[in-house]
Amino acid sequence: MDIPMEIVYQRPESLTDTHTHYCPGCGHGIAHRLVAEALDELNMRERTILVAPVGCSVFAYDYFNVDGCVAAHGRAPAMATGMKRLLPDHIVLTYQGDGDLASIGIAEIMHAAARGEKITTIFVNNAIYGMTGGQMAPTTLPGQKTTSSPFGRNTDIAGYPIRMSEILAQLDGSVYVVRRSIHDVQNIRKTKKAILTALKVQEAGLGFSVVEILSNCPTNWGMTAEESLTWVEENMVPYYPLGDFKVRDDAKELV
Amino acid sequence: MAQGTVWIDRERCKGCGLCPTVCPKDALEMDLISLNAKGYHPAVLINEAACTGCAICAVICPDVCITVAREAKPARV
């Protein structure tokens, strides 16, 4: 007798059917899916507002089946602040890259965290400006070759990368600050768990939550998708250690 | 009979090649003979009997083009 099959995985409802413009193997696709699965599981889709950044993920509002808009470069936390204060029963998410959050938008993210805004930030860190052709970002590793640092990042001239999660964890307004990676299946699952916790922190109204996701950029790193995930594991994870930098006591029961 | 199976949306696949690298049964491969409308070689299930429906391929797929099914577990009495 044939045993009936049941669907165990399908496209989450919080993603639209639009084909993404991301390059083959881009980590944004994985990060998008994890956020969408988390929104589905927590049944938040109908009351979520997504603030898309400027960067590769600028069209995120086309890919998520939630309300959304795009902020000026780096200003997603400021826009999200206004939305959350006007619509406190909504879930307000910002989805930002490292060029957006750690460079031009560093003032907005720092003050949103310091004010303890009850929003959630998904911070995708791929150590490069992807959309504009792979220039050096604030998060580019020392010695890493980019189109604007063809001999590798020289720390005498360009300084050192910024570890955003460690900085944000110092601010009293932040409640849940963690860094995860998507370089293998196990870490992808951990990342999803962190996104679920961050959304629960916002739902409980505790304060600011952020999940930093180490991601890849196969095109601008000049690698295949598989090589780029290995590069994340071997080069980015040692510089940007994974872990929980801050889980405030009242958020521990949500983890 | 296979314990599970996957359906790959050929037109959505961008041929990044990540799913064959994680499949524990080596049941997936890139289809190097044909192209989809985007011009990529999509992934294809080559060994249907080996698939267990573990969904690891779906976990790593950046374009969310894999749907996974597996045998329904009998209801516990």
Side-chain angles (χ1 to χ4, degrees):
Chain A
M1 188 186 83
D2 278 355
I3 303 166
M5 292 272 198
E6 61 180 353
I7 301 284
V8 289
Y9 185 83
Q10 61 186 340
R11 200 173 169 79
E13 280 185 11
S14 294
L15 287 179
T16 62
D17 280 338
T18 315
H19 289 213
T20 65
H21 71 284
Y22 300 124
C23 304
C26 176
H28 273 307
I30 299 175
H32 278 24
R33 195 191 67 229
L34 298 179
V35 173
E37 287 175 7
L39 290 173
D40 277 7
E41 283 179 27
L42 298 171
N43 204 16
M44 289 174 171
R45 178 167 65 92
E46 289 296 328
R47 56 195 171 100
T48 296
I49 305 171
L50 178 94
V51 185
V54 172
C56 281
S57 47
V58 65
F59 296 125
Y61 57 84
D62 271 347
Y63 306 144
F64 282 99
N65 192 8
V66 300
D67 293 335
C69 60
V70 181
H73 203 352
R75 273 64 184 183
M79 195 181 236
T81 297
M83 288 178 176
K84 184 69 181 180
R85 289 188 178 197
L86 277 169
L87 301 165
D89 56 335
H90 282 56
I91 301 295
V92 182
L93 280 175
T94 75
Y95 184 103
Q96 299 178 265
D98 51 317
D100 190 74
L101 182 143
S103 179
I104 190 168
I106 198 163
E108 277 70 20
I109 192 72
M110 294 293 280
H111 285 284
R115 292 192 304 268
E117 297 296 344
K118 296 169 184 61
I119 59 172
T120 300
T121 293
I122 309 296
F123 169 35
V124 178
N125 179 357
N126 60 7
I128 211 162
Y129 279 95
M131 184 183 74
T132 48
Q135 290 83 3
M136 182 169 63
T139 44
T140 296
L141 300 179
Q144 184 183 342
K145 287 181 183 171
T146 68
T147 50
S148 56
S149 59
F151 304 107
R153 180 175 182 157
N154 180 347
T155 51
D156 286 341
I157 298 168
Y160 294 88
I162 303 176
R163 295 186 179 97
M164 282 308 296
S165 287
E166 283 87 334
I167 297 171
L168 293 171
Q170 302 299 314
L171 300 167
D172 287 344
S174 60
V175 173
Y176 185 72
V177 183
V178 298
R179 185 183 287 124
R180 296 289 187 264
S181 171
I182 51 153
H183 66 263
D184 60 24
V185 170
Q186 185 192 8
N187 280 285
I188 291 172
R189 292 197 162 125
K190 285 183 184 169
T191 306
K192 181 175 166 193
K193 198 156 178 290
I195 293 171
L196 281 166
T197 308
L199 290 171
K200 286 182 201 162
V201 165
Q202 180 178 170
E203 175 106 301
L206 301 181
F208 182 76
S209 53
V210 54
V211 181
E212 176 174 351
I213 303 173
L214 299 184
S215 180
N216 60 342
C217 184
T219 300
N220 287 310
W221 293 354
M223 299 175 190
T224 65
E226 189 186 0
E227 286 165 355
S228 69
L229 292 184
T230 311
W231 199 90
V232 170
E233 185 179 10
E234 291 176 354
N235 296 280
M236 286 185 74
V237 173
Y239 200 93
Y240 298 108
L242 307 180
D244 299 359
F245 297 98
K246 186 173 187 182
V247 184
R248 213 168 69 186
D249 287 342
D250 50 354
K252 280 190 177 140
E253 62 193 37
L254 300 173
V255 175
Chain B
M1 189 191 149
Q3 288 172 280
T5 191
V6 296
W7 293 280
I8 296 165
D9 185 341
R10 285 176 61 89
E11 293 306 316
R12 196 179 287 279
C13 179
K14 291 181 190 148
C16 69
L18 287 178
C19 50
T21 67
V22 296
C23 178
K25 300 287 181 187
D26 294 326
L28 292 166
E29 207 170 74
M30 304 318 287
D31 179 1
L32 297 178
I33 297 162
S34 62
L35 297 166
N36 62 16
K38 287 196 182 95
Y40 295 121
H41 293 295
V44 62
L45 180 64
I46 49 160
N47 191 348
E48 290 181 18
C51 180
T52 60
C54 66
I56 287 177
C57 50
V59 171
I60 202 140
C61 177
D63 290 289
V64 206
C65 45
I66 304 180
T67 305
V68 188
R70 73 171 158 247
E71 285 176 357
K73 285 179 188 158
R76 287 187 185 165
V77 182

